[in-house]
Amino acid sequence: MTAATTYREVTTEAAPTSRSERVHQELSRQILDHQLAPGKRLIERELIDRFEVSRATVRETLRQLAAEGLVQIQPRRGAVVRAIDSDEARDLYRLRAAIEGLLVETFVERAGVADVQRLQEALDALDAAVEDGLAASEVMRVRDAFYEALFAGAGSSVLREELGVVQARVRVLCVSSLSESGRGATAVRELRAVTRAIIECDGPRAAALMREHLAFAAAATLRTLPRAD
């Protein structure tokens, strides 16, 4: 399977199949592309009119976005695009580094040949997406396939669940990091180093390289964020 084929499969799977999914996909895209800024209120009546869907559909979508960390439901204000300050972001990236280091070590311990091949194909697809100059939000969707390959090879529902929560909360920050000039290509090189260590069955080195990758991503993101009061 080629990198281009992998990318087409990823984008095809993301195609909306219901009104709720259509609304969710569009709002997610606008948040990740920063068309909806942090702190922006998402008013139910406006969303109902814009998408021509029911109040129940809008509320279901907002609950899903809140669960994914993109939206925050506030008393008396309703749903707003979630804002993350630098202190919170720093803590989240540290947590990601700890869990993802463990994830790649577990992958080395448990993955088979097919799992490693799938990981390499996903990384090639990510490289192609960056090389083609896709928007950061689209690159993120392709990057998800790389993590899905890691989860599959590691075979740990615990790591999948715990990391999924953290990754959802920093998804907007990841887009900010990838939007920095040259960061996408650098991130691919960093993940190739991680993958080489995995292929060489060097779990500790793979974990150290993954933590280093996330430290660079955090630094790129933190430069753009306000400090907490």
Side-chain angles (χ1 to χ4, degrees), residues 89-200:
R90 188 176 291 106
D91 290 344
L92 287 169
Y93 270 105
R94 285 173 176 166
L95 185 54
R96 270 192 70 188
I99 300 175
E100 292 189 25
L102 180 57
L103 175 64
V104 296
E105 283 195 283
T106 305
F107 184 98
V108 170
E109 293 170 2
R110 300 178 180 176
V113 174
D115 295 312
V116 174
Q117 181 178 356
R118 179 183 179 186
L119 186 70
Q120 290 178 289
E121 289 171 348
L123 183 56
D124 287 342
L126 178 60
D127 195 358
V130 171
E131 181 68 22
D132 289 345
L134 298 185
S137 58
E138 291 298 324
V139 172
M140 280 289 298
R141 294 187 183 98
V142 182
R143 192 208 66 162
D144 288 344
F146 179 81
Y147 277 94
E148 184 57 37
L150 281 176
F151 287 135
S156 171
S157 59
V158 173
L159 290 175
R160 178 189 286 271
E161 180 178 349
E162 295 302 319
L163 184 55
V165 172
V166 179
Q167 286 184 334
R169 292 182 64 185
V170 298
R171 196 167 182 84
V172 174
L173 301 181
C174 292
V175 171
S176 296
S177 171
L178 287 172
S179 297
E180 186 176 71
S181 178
R183 177 58 200 159
T186 302
V188 170
R189 288 195 295 271
E190 292 163 5
L191 291 175
R192 282 207 182 280
V194 173
T195 303
R196 282 195 297 271
I198 288 174
I199 293 170
E200 294 166 2

Side-chain angles (χ1 to χ4, degrees), residues 4-77:
T5 300
T6 304
Y7 175 63
R8 284 197 296 271
E9 289 178 355
V10 170
T11 53
T12 298
E13 291 172 357
T17 59
S18 70
R19 288 185 176 183
S20 177
E21 290 176 358
R22 177 172 61 86
V23 177
H24 174 268
Q25 187 176 90
E26 179 61 16
L27 289 177
S28 296
R29 183 189 65 79
Q30 291 190 359
I31 293 171
L32 293 173
D33 287 345
H34 298 283
Q35 294 176 19
L36 293 172
K40 169 72 174 177
R41 287 186 65 199
L42 301 176
I43 300 172
E44 286 186 7
R45 183 72 259 169
E46 292 179 358
L47 296 176
I48 290 169
D49 293 341
R50 174 186 169 189
F51 291 105
E52 299 181 338
V53 294
S54 68
R55 185 179 299 276
T57 295
V58 166
R59 288 183 174 178
E60 175 189 348
T61 300
L62 293 176
R63 283 194 296 268
Q64 185 176 356
L65 291 170
E68 294 170 355
L70 297 179
V71 163
Q72 190 172 28
I73 309 298
Q74 297 181 345
R76 295 182 297 279
R77 290 198 70 200

